[in-house]
Amino acid sequence: MKKFITVMPLQPKDKLMKSNYRAVGNSKLQCDFDTSFPVITIINGYVEKEDDIEIIILRQQHENAIANYEIFIEEISSLSERNGFKYKLNVIDIPYDNRPSVHLNTFAKLAEQINDEDFVNACVTYGTKPLSQVEIMTINYAYRAKHNCSIGAIVYGEYDHNENIAKVYDITSLFFMDEMVRTISEHGVKNPLKSIKNMVADDESED
């Protein structure tokens, strides 16, 4: 199943910016409409008509996250009607607390949602920095521990105040670079840094 992991933002409801995100590094993320949630750009680009998807939402127990969830429901419902897909919302309520034990528990809950054969995507825009790390840990788990589990897109959204424009970046290559570093280390490559630099150069040439 196609699954999309995201975190509800902690911004006050009246400051949650709605923008037309400019896709950087992946044209499939480009939308012709505004959204407050960069994960919507992945769903719009990777979900086809008649697909049945699952959206896994990490929602900290904070009044802003709870209020913003209602906005997300409105946006995903509108996109579903427009693009003709079905969806299930899987909300994981977690404490508003950055202790490592809390995040490890969140990781365990999130990892339980990933099955063999899943097509996993994630947005690491919102939430605390440790929560973003939890999402990446889950992607690692899906890729390494589950059978035939594939990774679609990992995105990060930002608002560029210099250009006054919102951008959504496909950062999936960072995940795969981390995976390659692990593989290089395991195989005892004599000059690992040279191999890494070659991979970076290849990636830049494709931009």
Side-chain angles (χ1 to χ4, degrees):
M1 175 177 278
K2 293 180 180 178
K3 295 185 177 179
F4 302 82
I5 304 170
T6 190
V7 179
M8 282 298 100
L10 294 171
Q11 288 96 322
K13 187 175 180 179
D14 59 348
K15 293 185 179 180
L16 187 63
M17 189 173 295
K18 192 169 187 178
S19 305
N20 188 314
Y21 282 86
R22 177 184 295 175
V24 181
N26 184 350
S27 61
K28 292 180 73 172
L29 302 175
Q30 189 62 54
C31 300
D32 60 356
F33 56 86
D34 293 352
T35 180
S36 298
F37 306 90
V39 70
I40 291 285
T41 68
I42 319 177
I43 297 171
N44 183 68
Y46 284 80
V47 176
E48 300 176 358
K49 188 176 181 179
E50 306 299 334
D51 274 352
D52 198 345
I53 69 170
E54 181 175 345
I55 306 166
I56 305 170
I57 298 169
L58 296 177
R59 184 175 64 181
Q60 292 173 291
Q61 291 303 282
H62 186 285
E63 61 181 355
N64 291 342
I66 294 171
N68 289 329
Y69 174 69
E70 299 302 320
I71 299 175
F72 181 79
I73 290 176
E74 294 175 4
E75 288 204 22
I76 192 62
S77 175
S78 175
L79 186 66
S80 170
E81 292 179 6
R82 167 183 161 150
N83 291 3
F85 63 85
K86 298 178 181 178
Y87 66 92
K88 171 188 174 183
L89 296 177
N90 180 356
V91 180
I92 301 176
D93 282 320
I94 57 177
Y96 180 55
D97 187 331
N98 278 308
R99 286 178 294 174
S101 59
V102 172
H103 290 301
L104 287 172
N105 187 52
T106 299
F107 166 66
K109 290 180 179 179
L110 189 54
E112 286 179 341
Q113 313 308 312
I114 307 301
N115 302 312
D116 294 339
E117 311 290 338
D118 279 344
F119 178 73
V120 184
N121 308 266
C123 173
V124 298
T125 304
Y126 294 128
T128 61
K129 289 181 174 65
L131 261 186
S132 295
Q133 183 63 29
V134 167
E135 289 184 86
I136 296 300
M137 288 164 58
T138 304
I139 294 289
N140 282 323
Y141 168 79
Y143 189 73
R144 298 173 185 172
K146 304 304 289 185
H147 176 69
N148 202 29
C149 196
S150 56
I151 308 303
I154 305 170
V155 306
Y156 173 73
E158 70 164 13
Y159 190 83
D160 188 327
H161 291 279
N162 291 324
E163 299 182 23
N164 291 320
I165 189 170
K167 299 179 181 179
V168 59
Y169 294 87
D170 186 332
I171 61 170
T172 318
S173 59
L174 298 181
F175 165 77
F176 285 111
M177 176 58 74
D178 180 65
E179 187 66 20
M180 287 302 299
V181 169
R182 182 183 67 85
T183 302
I184 287 171
S185 299
E186 288 179 350
H187 287 80
V189 175
K190 290 184 178 180
N191 193 340
L193 186 56
K194 181 178 179 181
S195 298
I196 292 168
K197 286 183 176 180
N198 287 338
M199 286 185 287
V200 170
D202 290 341
D203 188 68
E204 288 178 342
S205 68
E206 294 175 358
D207 286 345

